[in-house]
Amino acid sequence: GIEAEDTAVTLLESLAKVQNTERQISNAITEAVQHVTRSDNPGLLKVVEELKKNKNELVREVGIQLEGFSKSALGGLLFSDGKSQSISLDKQVNIIQIQNLDLPKSEVDPKTYNRSQHLSVCTMIPLAKFTTKFLRNEVKGTLKLAIFEEAWALENTAQGTALIKEMLRTGRSLNCGCGIVTQSAKDYNEQDVKEQVGVRFAFRAEDPRE
């Protein structure tokens, strides 16, 4: 639906580093996404093919650039031909595990990201969207729980930080809980986060500040 289209457009624009002034490219990506999502077995590889066939040379170059991302290890998770099995909101338990994300520190200027860091950060966009969708899934009387393992890595990205803070602040109204698992309590030493955490478990903490 519309949420899927919006997420796809956001992801592709982020990967291609489309600026606000580049209306032609942004419009072309949106049109390609809408065209593909309304066909059978939609997938982002089909969007790339649509962009590569565009009459505008700049749009075609973006398509080629995105095709390059799709051939990387992480890109294989993001770009599909529409035939792969997708994650289902109907399942009681969903475990999403991605190894080797090269997530930069939050204070690092995005303009200095290398290719691996840029792709890793963009991978957080659909992950955050799926988690939000799962927790907002309206099933009357059903408690939902999101557990973020190695949460310090998520905190290194704007998307991960926003996701965890949203879950902490809105969880009660959505009838869902948020579990944060990290190596050190100091990772979450910000006041606005600490105040939202109701229960804490700490094991073998040797630092008095923790």
Side-chain angles (χ1 to χ4, degrees):
I2 298 298
E3 286 183 285
E5 292 179 2
D6 289 344
T7 304
V9 170
T10 300
L11 172 62
L12 295 176
E13 287 186 345
S14 298
L15 280 172
K17 297 182 179 180
V18 177
Q19 304 299 315
N20 292 333
T21 55
E22 297 175 308
R23 298 294 185 188
Q24 282 186 319
I25 297 176
S26 180
N27 291 339
I29 290 176
T30 301
E31 289 174 5
V33 167
Q34 291 176 344
H35 176 73
V36 169
T37 54
R38 288 162 191 171
S39 63
D40 295 331
N41 301 318
L44 288 186
L45 283 176
K46 295 181 179 180
V47 176
V48 170
E49 291 304 314
E50 287 288 322
L51 294 174
K52 287 170 60 181
K53 293 186 293 184
N54 195 284
K55 296 179 180 180
N56 187 306
E57 183 179 356
L58 291 176
V59 174
R60 290 198 302 271
E61 289 179 0
V62 167
I64 294 172
Q65 178 190 18
L66 292 173
E67 185 179 43
F69 280 120
S70 72
K71 294 179 180 179
S72 65
L74 272 179
L77 296 172
L78 300 173
F79 291 83
S80 162
D81 59 4
K83 297 178 181 178
S84 59
Q85 184 178 0
S86 61
I87 302 171
S88 173
L89 281 169
D90 298 326
K91 295 185 179 180
Q92 189 173 16
V93 177
N94 290 283
I95 300 175
I96 303 176
Q97 180 179 9
I98 296 182
Q99 293 180 316
N100 302 321
L101 283 182
D102 184 12
L103 294 173
K105 296 290 184 181
S106 57
E107 62 269 17
V108 175
D109 187 347
K111 294 180 181 178
T112 65
Y113 289 172
N114 59 35
R115 180 184 175 88
S116 175
Q117 291 172 330
H118 178 56
L119 187 54
S120 295
V121 168
C122 289
T123 302
M124 290 300 304
I125 295 173
L127 280 178
K129 184 63 179 180
F130 174 81
T131 305
T132 304
K133 182 76 173 173
F134 178 77
L135 295 177
R136 291 184 181 276
N137 197 18
E138 292 295 334
V139 181
K140 189 174 182 180
T142 300
L143 173 66
K144 292 145 295 187
L145 178 63
I147 302 176
F148 299 97
E149 177 66 271
E150 300 291 359
W152 61 270
L154 296 181
E155 276 292 313
N156 281 344
T157 67
Q159 293 91 344
T161 299
L163 171 63
I164 290 177
K165 286 186 177 181
E166 179 186 1
M167 292 302 102
L168 288 174
R169 289 169 177 162
T170 64
R172 185 180 300 172
S173 63
L174 298 173
N175 195 25
C176 67
C178 176
I180 302 172
V181 185
T182 187
Q183 298 288 347
S184 172
K186 290 184 290 185
D187 294 339
Y188 284 85
N189 201 34
E190 296 179 14
Q191 196 62 34
D192 62 334
V193 175
K194 288 194 294 184
E195 290 179 353
Q196 302 296 331
V197 179
V199 181
R200 303 172 181 85
F201 296 92
F203 302 94
R204 298 183 182 180
E206 299 178 359
D207 188 333
R209 291 174 298 173
E210 294 198 57

